[in-house]
Amino acid sequence: MSTTALTMNDKVISTDAILAMLCSSVSKVLTAATKTPVTYSPMVQKIKRTCLRPDIGCFVLFDGGFAGLVIINFSAASALEIYRSYMMSMGIPESELAVRHTSEEVGNTLGELMNQIVGDFTGNVGQELLVSINQNQPKMLTINKEVMVSIDTNLDRAQARRVAFKTAGRNMFYMELAMDKTEFIKLHDFDREDIDPDRILAENKQIKKPAAAKIPAALDTSLLDELGI
């Protein structure tokens, strides 16, 4: 897969270029974690707003140099495949693993991976655009099939995109991004900052695993109230 690093000839960096950086982080982190290929479609869908969809939704808000929201909606099959592949890659016996996507262990693991994805993304943003963005703790929701949650991010001139991902087992999941419509215009060439991967891994180990919140039939709005959205 081709790198998403921006070239010195890129004078204007748009929302879609930032989306490509995020897609690369999702693919890179999940591929490394599961030791299996996780790929994404080259076709991006423009959407009017982001939503949490069945069976497991995970979202993270970020702000700083620019603001936005990242959502990953996993099907039950893709969530279990990623969870089980990740655990087995760390030497956990298959017999000890959860077999239902509603298990707390699955939600905790996907939340941990979401932290790593957004951490990699924010590091790349700092390296490529020389701006800093900060992330909130990921929130996991196990969603009933009749529930669809729309998150109002209060962004100015928000743009939303949806990208399909595929696991090695050909299970699909979807990443959605909403962010301010913005452009970064390069005034002159510059040297990019080096990212210390050991530092990023050390920081990730300090982050507590988020708890999975289950919603059987109706949305528990206290979770969203926490975030002020």
Side-chain angles (χ1 to χ4, degrees):
M1 186 177 298
S2 61
T3 179
T4 58
L6 308 176
T7 69
M8 287 299 184
N9 294 324
D10 293 326
K11 293 296 184 183
V12 178
I13 307 306
S14 67
T15 301
D16 290 329
I18 295 171
L19 173 66
M21 295 169 64
L22 179 58
C23 288
S24 178
S25 291
V26 174
S27 178
K28 181 174 73 173
V29 169
L30 294 184
T31 295
T34 64
K35 302 297 189 295
T36 59
V38 175
T39 59
Y40 59 91
S41 169
M43 302 300 295
V44 177
Q45 181 182 5
K46 288 186 178 182
I47 56 178
K48 292 184 178 181
R49 59 183 181 179
T50 56
C51 288
L52 293 168
R53 307 170 191 271
D55 295 300
I56 295 182
C58 181
F59 67 93
V60 176
L61 292 161
F62 61 85
D63 57 23
F66 54 92
L69 164 73
V70 179
I71 291 177
I72 299 184
N73 291 310
F74 296 96
S75 65
S78 64
L80 275 173
E81 180 185 348
I82 290 170
Y83 155 75
R84 293 173 70 85
S85 295
Y86 181 36
M87 291 294 101
M88 286 190 290
S89 74
M90 294 191 298
I92 307 299
E94 186 174 6
S95 59
E96 297 180 9
L97 299 180
V99 295
R100 295 182 181 276
H101 74 280
T102 53
S103 298
E104 184 177 358
E105 294 89 341
V106 177
N108 287 340
T109 299
L110 295 178
E112 177 188 346
L113 292 172
M114 187 73 160
N115 254 329
Q116 295 180 28
I117 288 166
V118 181
D120 185 80
F121 170 64
T122 57
N124 290 335
V125 166
Q127 181 188 39
E128 299 290 345
L129 304 179
L130 300 186
V131 297
S132 176
I133 56 176
N134 305 305
Q135 71 185 77
N136 289 52
Q137 190 78 355
K139 302 294 182 181
M140 301 293 302
L141 299 172
T142 303
I143 304 174
N144 184 282
K145 288 186 179 296
E146 285 74 33
V147 176
M148 183 177 293
V149 186
S150 178
I151 300 178
D152 181 7
T153 56
N154 297 317
L155 299 174
D156 295 328
R157 299 189 302 157
Q159 292 185 312
R161 303 286 188 268
R162 187 170 187 247
V163 181
F165 285 76
K166 186 192 305 182
T167 66
R170 305 186 69 81
N171 291 308
M172 304 295 295
F173 64 93
Y174 298 88
M175 189 270 292
E176 298 182 5
L177 169 68
M179 62 174 286
D180 288 324
K181 182 177 182 181
T182 186
E183 290 183 341
F184 289 87
I185 301 171
K186 186 173 68 176
L187 300 179
H188 58 79
D189 291 345
F190 56 87
D191 293 330
R192 283 157 174 75
E193 296 180 349
D194 291 331
I195 297 176
D196 182 358
D198 293 331
R199 175 182 59 80
I200 294 175
L201 289 173
E203 290 175 354
N204 282 334
K205 289 180 180 178
Q206 300 302 317
I207 300 174
K208 293 182 179 179
K209 295 181 180 180
K214 300 179 182 180
I215 300 184
L219 174 65
D220 180 1
T221 57
S222 63
L223 180 60
L224 304 184
D225 292 340
E226 262 182 52
L227 301 176
I229 54 176

